[in-house]
């Protein structure tokens, strides 16, 4: 009877010790196993999203390749797009309307943060130079980030933009921008420019309205009918803005998919590393449990011999 009580006491103390160790924050085998299974499920999702983004990227690359020659005619008028990094924006006029192009969806790394950061940089440098700037934000992610800092300067925003974009959709957006751009000296389009699957840069374009008469008159090399020049200039100005927006949309869409593909690849890699770490932790916990059970058996056998 005494031997039985001693064995029961030893087993109880062993279990109490195990419970005490567990209460100090060490996960059980079951908890670790559940974490491993959850991480594997997440890895499957991120791997699938990477494959989907890779397929969509091919389509966006084709649309971008088609949009580039479509927009070549704007270069002699508006100039080449410029890199935002280290830009001073000294060439911008007194009053600008900044149009950042962001996405409505996340899980694409810091691609939208780079655009909002560029907007803050533009507005700050214009403010330091005594110039003013307002915003028309395209994309829910950009609106959510920028309205915390420039809520009163956001004149309009466009969200839930259908992807992939079309020229008809861009024309509608250009009309909305034109409706509020009458009092501004220039429209500054900020977007992500696709380089390759691993690299994209933040660029900006400056679209200025045409001057129909007087000093600095636009398109002097072309002849217009006297009665229609102002009307043609208005239509051409809106078409210029639409073409620039369309190219920026296609460029930004390709950059977004490449960033999402990279982000999902990194997430899958991190999940694999976490699974390896959890598996090692699971094996150690399993080994500790087996060792504890062996100690209980050996202790019981020793007690019986006594």
């Amino acid at each position: 009877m005494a031997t039985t009580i001693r064995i029961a006491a030893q087993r109880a103390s062993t279990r109490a010790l195990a419970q005490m160790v567990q209460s100090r924050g060490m996960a059980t085998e079951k908890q670790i196993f559940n974490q491993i299974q959850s991480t594997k499920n997440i890895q499957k999702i991120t791997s699938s999203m990477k494959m989907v983004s890779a397929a969509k990227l091919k389509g966006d690359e084709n649309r971008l390749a088609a949009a580039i020659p479509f927009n070549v005619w704007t270069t002699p008028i508006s100039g080449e797009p410029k890199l935002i990094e280290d830009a001073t924006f000294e060439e911008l006029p007194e009053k600008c309307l900044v149009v950042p192009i962001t996405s409505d969806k996340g899980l694409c790394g810091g691609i939208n943060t780079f655009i909002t950061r560029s907007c803050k940089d533009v507005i700050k440098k214009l403010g330091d130079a005594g110039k003013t700037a307002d915003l028309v934000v395209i994309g829910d992610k950009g609106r959510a980030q920028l309205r915390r800092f420039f809520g009163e300067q956001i004149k309009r925003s466009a969200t839930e933009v259908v992807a992939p974009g079309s020229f008809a959709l861009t024309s509608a957006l250009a009309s909305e921008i034109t409706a509020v751009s009458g009092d501004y000296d220039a429209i500054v389009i900020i977007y992500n420019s696709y380089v390759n699957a691993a690299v994209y840069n933040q660029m900006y374009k400056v679209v200025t309205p045409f001057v129909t008469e007087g000093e600095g008159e636009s398109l002097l090399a072309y002849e217009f009918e006297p009665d229609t020049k102002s009307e043609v200039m208005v239509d051409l100005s809106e078409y210029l803005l639409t073409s620039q927006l369309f190219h920026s949309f296609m460029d930004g869409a390709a950059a977004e998919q490449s960033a999402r593909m990279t982000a999902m690849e990194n997430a899958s890699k991190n999940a694999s590393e976490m699974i390896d770490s959890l598996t090692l932790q699971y094996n150690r916990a399993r080994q500790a449990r087996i060792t504890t059970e062996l100690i209980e058996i050996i202790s019981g056998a020793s007690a019986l011999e006594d």
Side-chain angles (χ1 to χ4, degrees):
M1 183 69 179
T3 304
T4 305
I5 294 174
R6 190 189 313 165
I7 295 172
Q10 288 177 344
R11 290 181 177 177
S13 62
T14 305
R15 292 194 188 97
L17 179 61
Q19 292 176 355
M20 183 174 64
V21 171
Q22 179 181 343
S23 65
R24 289 178 181 176
M26 293 182 66
T28 62
E29 285 182 63
K30 184 64 175 177
Q31 291 172 333
I32 298 173
F33 179 79
N34 290 337
Q35 288 180 358
I36 292 173
Q37 296 305 312
S38 299
T39 308
K40 285 182 177 179
N41 292 335
I42 293 172
Q43 186 183 31
K44 291 178 182 177
I45 294 172
T46 55
S47 299
S48 300
M49 291 182 68
K50 176 193 171 183
M51 295 174 63
V52 171
S53 297
K56 288 184 177 181
L57 176 60
K58 185 61 178 178
D60 287 327
E61 286 178 337
N62 294 335
R63 283 185 285 271
L64 175 60
I68 290 175
F70 187 80
N71 195 55
V72 169
W73 71 276
T74 64
T75 302
I77 300 173
S78 300
E80 293 282 351
K82 300 177 182 178
L83 193 65
I84 286 183
E85 187 178 5
D86 299 328
T88 60
F89 308 107
E90 294 178 352
E91 78 280 7
L92 297 182
E94 293 295 323
K95 194 172 184 182
C96 297
L97 182 64
V98 181
V99 182
I101 298 178
T102 61
S103 67
D104 289 314
K105 299 178 181 179
L107 299 177
C108 51
I111 192 167
N112 294 308
T113 304
F114 294 145
I115 292 295
T116 55
R117 189 182 302 165
S118 300
C119 283
K120 295 175 188 177
D121 188 36
V122 171
I123 295 174
K124 180 181 182 302
K125 289 183 178 179
L126 288 176
D128 294 341
K131 303 175 183 178
T132 58
D134 290 325
L135 292 164
V136 173
V137 185
I138 299 175
D140 184 62
K141 295 300 180 181
R143 183 187 65 172
Q145 295 182 30
L146 289 171
R147 68 182 176 184
R148 291 180 292 179
F149 303 96
F150 310 108
E152 297 181 356
Q153 294 171 261
I154 297 179
K155 301 303 178 183
R156 292 193 183 182
S157 61
T159 59
E160 298 183 5
V161 179
V162 179
S166 62
F167 193 79
L169 174 64
T170 310
S171 299
L173 291 172
S175 298
E176 293 292 326
I177 295 172
T178 303
V180 298
S181 64
D183 298 331
Y184 297 93
D185 301 322
I187 298 173
V188 182
I189 304 172
I190 300 177
Y191 66 103
N192 288 296
S193 179
Y194 175 77
V195 179
N196 55 50
V199 180
Y200 55 89
N201 297 318
Q202 289 70 52
M203 310 288 287
Y204 73 99
K205 301 175 181 176
V206 182
V207 181
T208 55
F210 291 122
V211 180
T212 57
E213 58 185 10
E215 185 178 356
E217 183 177 352
S218 304
L219 303 178
L220 289 174
Y222 300 88
E223 293 183 1
F224 297 87
E225 292 293 333
D227 297 335
T228 61
K229 183 174 182 178
S230 59
E231 183 180 351
V232 171
M233 285 289 194
V234 171
D235 294 339
L236 189 60
S237 178
E238 186 171 345
Y239 185 63
L240 172 66
L241 176 61
T242 304
S243 296
Q244 293 280 43
L245 273 177
F246 180 68
H247 173 261
S248 301
F249 262 120
M250 298 299 102
D251 219 353
E256 178 188 346
Q257 291 301 335
S258 68
R260 182 170 288 111
M261 185 178 68
T262 303
M264 292 301 100
E265 182 180 2
N266 292 335
S268 300
K269 189 183 299 182
N270 292 338
S272 178
E273 293 176 358
M274 186 177 293
I275 290 170
D276 293 339
S277 176
L278 288 172
T279 302
L280 180 61
Q281 188 177 350
Y282 174 79
N283 291 334
R284 286 175 177 172
R286 182 170 174 271
Q287 185 178 4
R289 176 179 60 80
I290 294 172
T291 303
T292 302
E293 291 177 354
L294 288 174
I295 292 174
E296 289 182 356
I297 294 171
I298 294 170
S299 299
S302 300
L304 288 174
E305 290 178 358
D306 295 340

